[in-house]
Amino acid sequence: MVRDDDIPELVALAQDGIHDPAEMPFFFPWTDAPSEELPINMARHYWTSRAANTRDKWSLECAVRRDGELLGVQAIDTEHFLVTRTGETGSWLARRFHGQGIGTRMRTAMCILAFDHLDFEEVTSGAFADNPASLGVSRKVGYRDNGKTRLKRRDADRAVLRRLVLQPDDLIRGDLRIEVEGLAEVRAFIGLDG
Ligand SMILES: CC(C)(COP(=O)(O)OP(=O)(O)OC[C@H]1O[C@@H](n2cnc3c(N)ncnc32)[C@H](O)[C@@H]1OP(=O)(O)O)[C@@H](O)C(=O)NCCC(=O)NCCS
């Protein structure tokens, strides 16, 4: 989980740049904020997300590290999980780490966690049609197309959101194996056990 100690490093990554400023990959354009507002905005986001976690609506936001170095965040968001057994993945990497296959590995890891350890029955994603990197990750992990929606992006830009869905049997695991710690506490918290 993203912890308070991770937040200054995540801010530094975001201030360094997550994407071309001319583009906007996020539904909520949080990277458009002036650089000096990112520390409080990001701290508020992670604190709010953590404090708002309940059985009915929870997010697992994980810090992504390689050899100890922080690279970005891989998250999954759910609502009414005990009924729906679905959740939406979301992620970002600092721009200097793009294009090395890390996005594919961290999304695959989250999907293995979801299906093998947290009793998900499907996982969804959504990416703007002009975000080939996110769509590339979804394709490589095994998601299938699940429709399109028109959305307003930034002030007046009309963007097409491509929806994607992954079934457990479609997950492309590659050579990735994961080790999980703290599972019993998480399963109890989200109402799966006990
Ligand atoms: C989306 C993101 C996490 C992907 O991570 P990544 O490590 O760059 O992706 P990968 O290196 O695993 O690439 C996955 C596939 O997409 C392809 N791809 C990546 N960037 C691409 C681009 N700009 N154009 C075309 N294809 C691209 C890769 O080639 C790869 O396919 P291949 O192995 O068949 O060549 C990362 O680009 C990112 O943080 N982007 C900004 C934030 C964002 O868009 N978040 C998602 C919002 S929905």
Side-chain angles (χ1 to χ4, degrees):
M1 294 287 290
V2 171
R3 299 174 192 278
D4 284 0
D5 285 350
D6 298 317
I7 295 175
E9 276 182 273
L10 289 174
V11 168
L13 292 181
Q15 286 176 328
D16 221 32
I18 297 174
H19 56 83
D20 180 344
E23 298 169 355
M24 178 42 68
F26 299 116
F27 312 140
F28 178 74
W30 61 275
T31 44
D32 276 350
S35 179
E36 66 274 15
E37 291 179 16
L38 283 176
I40 187 60
N41 288 355
M42 292 177 72
R44 190 181 287 125
H45 167 78
Y46 291 113
W47 292 336
T48 303
S49 163
R50 198 187 306 155
N53 270 339
T54 63
R55 275 186 188 180
D56 236 20
K57 196 173 188 309
W58 53 266
S59 300
L60 188 57
E61 296 199 86
C62 295
V64 176
R65 292 181 181 273
R66 178 177 58 187
D67 299 329
E69 182 182 17
L70 193 59
L71 314 174
V73 171
Q74 175 66 61
I76 192 161
D77 298 325
T78 73
E79 201 166 345
H80 311 310
F81 175 71
L82 292 178
V83 176
T84 63
R85 300 293 172 131
T86 188
E88 175 117 342
T89 48
S91 59
W92 61 266
L93 285 170
R95 206 170 169 186
R96 63 181 183 275
F97 303 120
H98 290 190
Q100 303 173 28
I102 301 165
T104 303
R105 289 176 72 80
M106 65 199 211
R107 185 105 71 87
T108 305
M110 182 59 90
C111 293
I112 294 175
L113 174 68
F115 290 138
D116 292 1
H117 301 283
L118 295 176
D119 300 1
F120 280 66
E121 293 174 8
E122 70 167 29
V123 170
T124 61
S125 177
F128 289 121
D130 58 6
N131 188 347
S134 179
L135 293 168
V137 169
S138 293
R139 173 177 46 77
K140 294 195 76 174
V141 177
Y143 291 69
R144 294 173 194 258
D145 282 327
N146 194 25
K148 294 178 185 172
T149 314
R150 288 180 177 194
L151 289 182
K152 179 166 87 75
R153 180 167 53 176
R154 285 181 163 146
D155 290 337
D157 176 20
R158 185 167 76 195
V160 173
L161 178 75
R162 284 183 50 189
R163 296 189 183 282
L164 300 128
V165 62
L166 179 68
Q167 309 295 342
D169 288 345
D170 292 335
L171 171 61
I172 298 168
R173 294 165 182 260
D175 61 357
L176 198 65
R177 300 288 176 270
I178 71 167
E179 290 176 18
V180 181
E181 291 170 18
L183 188 64
E185 292 86 344
V186 174
R187 286 182 60 93
F189 179 79
I190 64 179
L192 286 172
D193 302 323

